[in-house]
Amino acid sequence: MRKALLIILTIISITIQAADYAHYYNGLPIPLKLVAEPNIPNRRVNITDFGAKGDGQTLCTEAIQKAIDSLAKQGGGHVDISAGIWLTAPFQLKSGIDLHLEQNAIIQITEDRSLHIKAGAKKATFAITATDAHDISITGKGIIDGNGEFWRAVKRGKQSDVEWKEYLALGGTVNEKGDLWYPFHLKHQNNIAPTMEQQEKMRVNMIRFTNCQRVMIQGVTLQNSPKFHLTPNDCQDVIIDGVTVRCPWNAQNGDAIDIGTCQRVLIVNNVIDCGDDGICMKGATGDESLNHKPCEDILIKNNTVFHGHGGFVIGSEFSAGMYRIIVCDNTFSGTDTGLRFKSAIGRGGKTGDIYCYNINMTDIKGEAIIFETTYADKAVSGTTGPGSGTKWVPEFKDIHISNIICNGAKTGVKAKGAQGMVHNIDINNSIIFYTGQATDIDTTCDVKLTDVKFITYK
């Protein structure tokens, strides 16, 4: 009888927990499959129990991993990170584990890049990873800091004189043209590659989850990643709630949240200020996409994006497809573009049932809404231009945009593409204040504007 009662109480507990997020799905224009939360057992350990010291000098990697492994063997639980600065090299989360950062706790990824290189490996290991895991989370009010300045190349044109001198003070190497600084030959760190260009390609993401089920990131601050901050890939049931992502506005490839070929995702109540795309959907490239499922059943609501190349972005690669995505009740303030749909031949795919509405934008540097089909990836290591031919051609279609208020953009709506690349797009009931052009839409693009008011200076 007692065992049966325990089972009933457990079911009730899980049901109540799942219901916390159900209300976000009310009143949507199309039904989405409801995201499932992770189930974390009620066990707790503190990393100090395993010898960790929060003095900012002691490497805590072994203690953190031992705490995770210890709980994982018992079926999971909460690994607590108390107030302090906890220096670490890469570590791996396991099924059933919640990494909980208390107020004033900082996990700082070590600036010693060599600790990201496993014996015999050609690539560096991402800072915090989970692979083939289920029921995992990172929660709390603490900070995870990526020490990105020890990894990223820096463009001179994006730095003030003061900032540029600060980088030079670290040592490093400036290229022959004098327009790029690389963290190569730093004063206090060894190189991890024979050339500065090769080392640049070894930059790591801060948090990477691969093929995981029931994942939650809640409440924490993610900052200053060497590359992308949060990248779930091939995951199902992902919740990103109340997270702050921040890095320098000029951080190369400083994406905040990149969702790669995931299903059932909820992104709510987050604040983003980053160096590249804010909230981005990615769907694999070309033939590689045949091994992946599309991005599906994704709800993005009540988020604020300050600086970023785009507030909400699809692409550039989305060959696996993008279906049933709703972006609503968000604010983009100071992004380069607002709603950005970008791709090129060789990395394109199809979209369907995409709804973007109730979005407020201010001080948009470029376009409030843009469709681009000849996107070129302009990395420090060189520009990769659009492909050619007839395979994996981007097809942006069945996209519905409404109730947009944009107070300040250079261009209101821009769409570029050959016949069939951009079609069945409707934009309605919106107000856009522009300073350059109201629209720049190719005749080959099928974009229908209804009750869209474009305003500029008199």
Side-chain angles (χ1 to χ4, degrees):
M1 181 67 180
R2 180 180 296 177
K3 184 176 181 181
L5 180 61
L6 179 61
I7 292 173
I8 292 170
L9 289 174
T10 301
I11 292 172
I12 292 172
S13 174
I14 294 172
T15 303
I16 292 172
Q17 187 181 27
D20 289 344
Y21 285 103
H23 73 276
Y24 288 106
Y25 291 81
N26 294 335
L28 300 179
I30 56 171
L32 299 181
K33 293 179 181 178
L34 184 66
V35 70
E37 293 185 53
N39 183 24
I40 308 296
N42 192 24
R43 304 184 188 95
R44 307 199 85 93
V45 298
N46 195 297
I47 59 173
T48 56
D49 300 333
F50 296 82
K53 295 181 180 179
D55 57 10
Q57 303 301 314
T58 304
L59 196 66
C60 301
T61 317
E62 185 177 354
I64 294 172
Q65 194 64 64
K66 281 184 176 180
I68 292 169
D69 294 347
S70 173
L71 271 184
K73 289 178 181 178
Q74 302 174 58
H78 305 270
V79 175
D80 290 333
I81 313 291
S82 303
I85 302 175
W86 311 89
L87 191 66
T88 182
F91 61 88
Q92 187 175 44
L93 295 180
K94 303 289 182 66
S95 294
I97 295 298
D98 167 48
L99 188 70
H100 183 75
L101 286 76
E102 297 177 4
Q103 183 86 44
N104 298 319
I106 301 177
I107 293 177
Q108 189 164 49
I109 309 304
T110 176
E111 63 190 59
D112 187 347
R113 298 167 302 197
S114 66
L115 295 179
H116 286 260
I117 310 296
K118 294 181 179 179
K122 295 182 179 180
K123 294 184 178 181
T125 302
F126 297 153
I128 301 174
T129 59
T131 303
D132 299 327
H134 61 83
D135 298 291
I136 56 176
S137 61
I138 301 175
T139 63
K141 298 182 179 180
I143 297 171
I144 303 176
D145 185 290
N147 254 328
E149 64 270 23
F150 295 97
W151 290 84
R152 292 189 300 263
V154 170
K155 294 180 179 179
R156 177 65 182 95
K158 290 187 174 182
Q159 311 294 320
S160 68
D161 290 344
V162 172
E163 291 171 314
W164 185 249
K165 289 177 182 178
E166 288 175 349
Y167 281 107
L168 295 180
L170 295 174
T173 304
V174 178
N175 67 349
E176 290 184 6
K177 291 177 62 178
D179 61 351
L180 277 174
W181 174 88
Y182 289 87
F184 191 74
H185 295 320
L186 292 174
K187 290 181 179 179
H188 305 292
Q189 292 296 330
N190 294 324
N191 298 322
I192 57 173
T195 69
M196 57 190 182
E197 292 85 3
Q198 288 175 290
Q199 184 169 278
E200 164 66 19
K201 294 179 180 179
M202 296 182 74
R203 282 192 293 149
V204 297
N205 297 344
M206 180 184 288
I207 300 174
R208 172 78 166 228
F209 297 137
T210 304
N211 195 32
C212 294
Q213 290 78 45
R214 295 181 299 282
V215 174
M216 177 184 288
I217 311 294
Q218 184 184 66
V220 293
T221 294
L222 311 177
Q223 66 181 27
N224 201 21
S225 175
K227 200 173 180 182
F228 307 150
H229 288 77
L230 177 56
T231 57
N233 282 267
D234 298 312
C235 295
Q236 292 80 45
D237 296 302
V238 178
I239 299 172
I240 304 171
D241 176 20
V243 173
T244 298
V245 184
R246 57 188 298 269
C247 70
W249 72 270
N250 46 17
Q252 192 71 24
N253 306 116
D255 290 30
I257 299 171
D258 285 356
I259 303 297
T261 57
C262 294
Q263 299 79 46
R264 300 183 302 282
V265 180
L266 179 64
I267 302 174
V268 290
N269 309 318
N270 303 291
V271 177
I272 293 168
D273 196 340
C274 66
D276 209 310
D277 291 329
I279 301 172
C280 185
M281 306 292 108
K282 293 183 178 292
T285 304
D287 291 344
E288 177 195 347
S289 68
L290 300 174
N291 299 317
H292 300 271
K293 296 178 181 179
C295 280
E296 291 181 314
D297 295 296
I298 297 174
L299 177 57
I300 300 166
K301 188 172 184 178
N302 295 345
N303 303 284
T304 299
V305 183
F306 292 106
H307 189 273
H309 288 185
F312 168 75
V313 182
I314 286 180
S316 63
E317 64 275 19
F318 72 107
S319 300
M322 300 276 163
Y323 305 104
R324 297 189 303 281
I325 299 175
I326 296 176
V327 185
C328 62
D329 303 309
N330 297 289
T331 296
F332 306 149
S333 181
T335 56
D336 289 352
T337 60
L339 298 170
R340 186 182 190 190
F341 305 86
K342 61 176 181 177
S343 193
I345 294 174
R347 63 180 75 180
K350 298 181 184 296
T351 64
D353 281 329
I354 311 293
Y355 290 82
C356 304
Y357 58 94
N358 295 350
I359 298 173
N360 294 325
M361 308 182 192
T362 60
D363 302 316
I364 305 301
K365 183 178 179 181
E367 300 85 8
I369 303 168
I370 180 171
F371 296 87
E372 49 186 320
T373 57
T374 56
Y375 175 77
D377 186 9
K378 298 178 181 178
V380 166
S381 55
T383 298
T384 302
S388 58
T390 58
K391 197 172 183 181
W392 302 113
V393 175
E395 185 179 3
F396 291 115
K397 65 175 183 177
D398 194 14
I399 298 175
H400 313 281
I401 301 171
S402 62
N403 297 325
I404 306 297
I405 299 176
C406 178
N407 194 12
K410 184 176 181 181
T411 303
V413 180
K414 184 175 181 178
K416 297 291 177 180
Q419 193 75 41
M421 287 187 177
V422 182
H423 66 96
N424 190 23
I425 311 295
D426 58 82
I427 304 172
N428 63 77
N429 193 33
S430 298
I431 300 173
I432 299 175
F433 184 96
Y434 66 94
T435 59
Q437 287 179 283
T439 62
D440 182 9
I441 302 173
D442 286 353
T443 57
T444 50
C445 296
D446 172 25
V447 179
K448 183 179 180 181
L449 304 177
T450 305
D451 295 326
V452 179
K453 189 175 183 180
F454 293 101
I455 304 170
T456 190
Y457 298 111
K458 294 181 180 179

